[in-house]
Amino acid sequence: MVPRLTDARKELRRAQIAEAAVRCFGRNGLERTSIADITAESGLSAGSIYAHYRNKADLIQAAAREVLAKRAEVLGAYAASDTPPGPDELLARLIAAIDPVEARVGVQTWGEATTDPVIRDIVVDMTDRMRAMLHDCLTAWLVKVEHHEAAGAREHAAPIAHRVMSLYQAELLYTALRSPTEETAR
């Protein structure tokens, strides 16, 4: 009889697979990464991977959500602090936290989104979520630091969040283009 995985163990296994997928995508590209590559990278069987993810698009979505979850935790902490960072400081902190592998995977995903509707939906969803988190953080800054009224702060924060998001995405692209891949580093 095969032992059943606990929910916590399932989540750890899913994270292990998603992290292996990100490394493979960063090294080989989305299109050239196979489930066999992810199997080898994760040290798990193909059956184990398929038990957690239906296909590569499912893995791409999980990888994107994992990266976004890291940003959400940080942005939530910023928004909850007594003195949330303003737009310039917020952008500087986000840029400092860019991981080159994650940046390469992100840019590849954007490229795939131009021709694959499933990937496009993932990218649009992740972009909208990130912009909403930036909006919340900047609204908190306007209220707590700049002393705006809450209703007006939300409206005022929207175009600022859009600009911060655009500049952050530009830095992701710049990082992805200037970073050598793990393949050429070997």
Side-chain angles (χ1 to χ4, degrees):
M1 186 165 181
V2 177
R4 311 253 327 130
L5 291 175
T6 64
D7 287 344
R9 188 90 172 111
K10 284 180 188 176
E11 283 309 307
L12 282 173
R13 182 66 46 89
R14 285 179 64 81
Q16 177 184 1
I17 295 166
E19 289 166 8
V22 168
R23 289 190 301 273
C24 289
F25 295 150
R27 185 172 52 243
N28 306 328
L30 295 177
E31 190 62 35
R32 291 189 314 270
T33 295
S34 67
I35 294 296
D37 295 326
I38 297 166
T39 299
E41 184 76 23
S42 69
L44 301 171
S45 69
S48 180
I49 290 174
Y50 283 117
H52 295 282
Y53 297 100
R54 293 182 312 256
N55 52 36
K56 196 161 57 168
D58 209 14
L59 270 165
I60 292 168
Q61 185 172 30
R65 288 192 193 290
E66 188 171 304
V67 170
L68 186 68
K70 292 178 194 173
R71 299 296 164 272
E73 189 175 314
V74 170
L75 289 171
Y78 292 164
S81 74
D82 290 338
T83 55
D88 293 337
E89 178 63 22
L90 179 59
L91 181 60
R93 290 180 188 184
L94 288 169
I95 291 169
I98 292 174
D99 175 272
V101 172
E102 290 175 359
R104 283 193 301 276
V105 173
V107 170
Q108 291 171 45
T109 306
W110 297 342
E112 287 291 315
T114 63
T115 57
D116 184 328
V118 172
I119 303 299
R120 182 181 315 115
D121 289 346
I122 294 167
V123 169
V124 168
D125 181 51
M126 294 297 114
T127 302
D128 288 347
R129 288 174 186 232
M130 178 77 174
R131 186 175 291 117
M133 289 184 286
L134 291 170
H135 185 243
D136 291 346
C137 189
L138 291 164
T139 298
W141 168 72
L142 287 167
V143 170
K144 293 177 181 179
V145 177
E146 298 294 310
H147 308 292
H148 287 232
E149 294 296 321
R154 286 209 59 76
E155 186 177 326
H156 188 67
I160 300 169
H162 181 81
R163 286 191 300 273
V164 169
M165 181 69 174
S166 298
L167 292 169
Y168 175 64
Q169 288 175 319
E171 287 293 332
L172 283 171
L173 177 60
Y174 178 71
T175 299
L177 292 176
R178 74 165 191 241
S179 298
T181 63
E182 291 177 19
E183 237 175 29
T184 58
R186 290 182 185 177

